[in-house]
Amino acid sequence: MDKFLIEGGRPLEGRVSASGAKNAALPAMAASLLTGQPVVLRNIPRVRDIGTMRSLLDELGVDSSVKHEEHGNRLEIQARQLLNPVAPYELVKQMRASVLVLGPLVARFGHARVSLPGGCAIGARPINLHLRGLEALGASVRMDHGYIEMRTEGLRGATFHFDTITVTGTENLMMAATLAEGLTTLDNAAREPEVEDLAHLLNEMGASIEGAGTDTIRIRGVSSLHGADHPVIPDRIEVGTFLVSAGITGGHVCVDRAEVGHLAAVITKLREAGVGVRANGPHELEVEKDGALRAVDLDTQEYPGFPTDMQAQWMALMTQAEGASVISENIFENRFLHALEMMRMGADITVEGRHAIVRGKTPLSGAKVQASDLRASASLVLAGLAAQGETLVDRVYHIDRGYERIEEKLNRVGARIRRFSE
Ligand code: EPU
């Protein structure tokens, strides 16, 4: 199992490029199940979850091939026919986003059998709204030995209101509705840029979707979809992580190939905390520490609010800010495991339910820490960059799920991170 050895205390300086967004690439791959023609996806990040989704497509009997391009991979997927509409437990337990195949499978083939995802390190994460939404479109749902067994004679458009805003739930229903008969309206839909990117791809494939990016999405069903060639959007969470890496080390970093408009909430908060962030046009951000860091309270929210996927990285930053900051996690009920590891490095953090109080500034000292999930691992790398001495981050496979060779990118801007296996 790989580990990172980080030699901390070095300000980062230089230029780094963003990869494509994992959370846009995964639904785009699932969307390719909606047509028998080839779908070409570009700017695909070289991360482990993409490999897991390819294994799942393979399991379903779908062809895919990958080509290395200058920026990300080019992935060509062709779902000519389906051999086996089953997403097995072994893959779903590795990656919950596997449930994204449910909507496309049932819409195109009338049948899907997908393992129910089990527990998760960051919260219960049920998928009841995916199922209720697909039922509203006319699918029958049955639980069978840990699997969701879904069938339909043909989906019909409907109006569905999400009680809770869900990103992959919105994506699943939007994909299914493209091939349903008539009009589907999704109310209280997720507004994340990844949802909008998926809608762009689906429209390029011949779907008729309006309103993606707002909380009401209207989908007029069509009888079939065709192939497309689509670059996925940049990874706003990876960009945000790089911005914090400069802020926490007191460095000066430019992040290019970004989509500045997707990071408004993160940029606002960084500026409040005393991190100087400047946009050099729509695709580049320059970040420089601007005096001492100040404690700033934070509430995670659905987009366009501050993303839960940046909460752990923010916590690392706040350990180096003067004063007390209250971080409230409003999306997931158990997303503070990184706090315990940061405390082992010298941070002063109290967790009370959905709130964490970080009192700074405390010097961090290198320690052995363990990653519990993807974003938690990123936050421990950031803490390690700011710490004196050596930090050993264990279970780096979590970070490889969603960050493309983060140690190589950070080393290019002056970090000292060594990957090794034990
Ligand atoms: N929820 C329900 N019922 C449902 C679906 C969701 O109650 O049927 C609840 C969840 O338990 C949670 C809230 O709704 O409390 C929001 O969850 P959401 O469904 O939006 O999360 P997700 O779609 O499973 C995606 C990202 C996550 C990201 C969240 C929130 C992908 C593949 N995953 O997950 O990304 O944290 O949205 O923005 O898009 C990550 O990349 O590290 C990651 C965890």
Side-chain angles (χ1 to χ4, degrees):
M1 231 185 268
D2 284 5
K3 299 183 198 304
F4 282 164
L5 186 67
I6 306 172
E7 199 184 297
R10 305 163 58 83
L12 301 190
E13 234 160 276
R15 176 173 291 275
V16 62
S17 296
S19 295
K22 161 184 84 82
N23 289 350
L26 293 172
M29 291 171 76
S32 67
L33 291 167
L34 289 162
T35 174
Q37 293 184 12
V39 173
V40 173
L41 301 171
R42 297 174 192 275
N43 200 29
I44 296 294
R46 298 163 188 128
V47 300
R48 204 161 62 100
D49 274 7
I50 299 296
T52 308
M53 189 57 116
R54 273 192 82 199
S55 304
L56 176 54
L57 294 177
D58 193 48
E59 190 78 25
L60 299 171
V62 170
D63 294 331
S64 71
S65 62
V66 68
K67 220 170 95 190
H68 204 82
E69 288 188 331
E70 189 192 347
H71 296 294
N73 281 338
R74 173 191 188 276
L75 195 55
E76 183 166 337
I77 302 171
Q78 187 164 12
R80 278 192 197 87
Q81 76 226 10
L82 193 75
L83 299 178
N84 172 30
V86 181
Y89 175 66
E90 291 63 35
L91 289 171
V92 180
K93 78 167 185 212
Q94 280 179 47
M95 185 183 72
R96 303 177 65 84
S98 305
V99 299
L100 282 166
V101 301
L102 195 54
L105 284 180
V106 81
R108 177 148 168 243
F109 302 100
H111 179 205
R113 189 173 158 84
V114 174
S115 170
L116 257 180
C120 176
I122 62 178
R125 301 184 76 183
I127 58 161
N128 56 317
L129 298 173
H130 301 231
L131 303 185
R132 270 188 23 214
L134 290 167
E135 270 182 319
L137 294 181
S140 70
V141 181
R142 195 166 62 85
M143 293 303 155
D144 178 41
H145 298 288
Y147 279 73
I148 305 153
E149 180 78 37
M150 198 171 267
R151 286 186 187 271
T152 182
E153 294 296 317
L155 298 178
R156 287 176 314 278
T159 295
F160 184 75
H161 177 88
F162 288 98
D163 293 340
T164 305
I165 298 177
T166 156
V167 176
T168 49
T170 302
E171 292 167 344
N172 234 337
L173 257 73
M174 193 166 72
M175 289 190 280
T178 59
L179 293 180
E181 199 185 314
L183 182 70
T184 297
T185 303
L186 303 179
D187 280 335
N188 202 26
R191 289 178 283 170
E192 268 67 4
E194 292 76 17
V195 173
E196 212 179 335
D197 193 44
L198 175 64
H200 286 152
L201 166 64
L202 293 167
N203 282 341
E204 284 156 13
M205 292 167 70
S208 172
I209 303 175
E210 279 174 18
T214 74
D215 61 4
T216 306
I217 305 180
R218 288 193 181 80
I219 306 125
R220 192 162 287 286
V222 294
S223 55
S224 65
L225 296 178
H226 51 74
D229 187 328
H230 178 80
V232 301
I233 54 171
D235 193 321
R236 61 197 167 96
I237 306 301
E238 187 198 27
V239 174
T241 304
F242 291 142
L243 298 181
V244 172
S245 75
I248 201 169
T249 62
H252 182 185
V253 169
C254 277
V255 190
D256 58 26
R257 296 185 59 76
E259 192 60 55
V260 173
H262 294 166
L263 281 131
V266 173
I267 293 171
T268 302
K269 279 288 165 191
L270 284 169
R271 286 181 180 149
E272 274 179 52
V275 180
V277 185
R278 193 169 62 230
N280 300 328
H283 302 298
E284 182 173 308
L285 286 163
E286 185 170 351
V287 54
E288 199 167 8
K289 198 172 116 185
D290 179 14
L293 290 171
R294 297 184 287 272
V296 173
D297 292 347
L298 180 83
D299 267 275
T300 62
Q301 302 286 352
E302 295 87 0
Y303 191 84
F306 190 97
T308 172
D309 290 345
M310 280 296 300
Q311 177 260 108
Q313 301 88 315
W314 184 262
M315 185 180 283
L317 185 71
M318 287 301 100
T319 67
Q320 299 308 295
E322 294 297 339
S325 57
V326 179
I327 299 180
S328 305
E329 172 55 58
N330 298 308
I331 308 295
F332 293 113
E333 61 274 21
N334 188 30
R335 210 176 195 181
F336 283 137
L337 288 176
H338 42 278
L340 298 166
E341 298 299 296
M342 284 181 208
M343 283 153 74
R344 300 188 49 252
M345 299 175 71
D348 180 350
I349 305 172
T350 314
V351 175
E352 286 169 11
R354 282 178 178 263
H355 310 284
I357 301 149
V358 186
R359 293 184 186 79
K361 167 184 182 176
T362 48
L364 297 181
S365 59
K368 285 188 181 171
V369 290
Q370 207 168 82
S372 52
D373 71 82
L374 171 57
R375 308 303 170 186
S377 3
S379 75
L380 297 176
V381 169
L382 293 171
L385 292 175
Q388 289 305 319
E390 287 184 344
T391 296
L392 187 78
V393 183
D394 200 356
R395 300 198 182 169
V396 160
Y397 62 85
H398 284 296
I399 210 165
D400 291 335
R401 286 188 58 180
Y403 287 87
E404 184 173 308
R405 285 275 165 183
I406 194 170
E407 79 283 16
E408 288 177 13
K409 289 195 182 192
L410 290 171
N411 285 347
R412 256 179 256 140
V413 291
R416 285 222 181 125
I417 307 176
R418 191 164 66 80
R419 179 189 286 264
F420 67 98
S421 317
E422 226 177 46

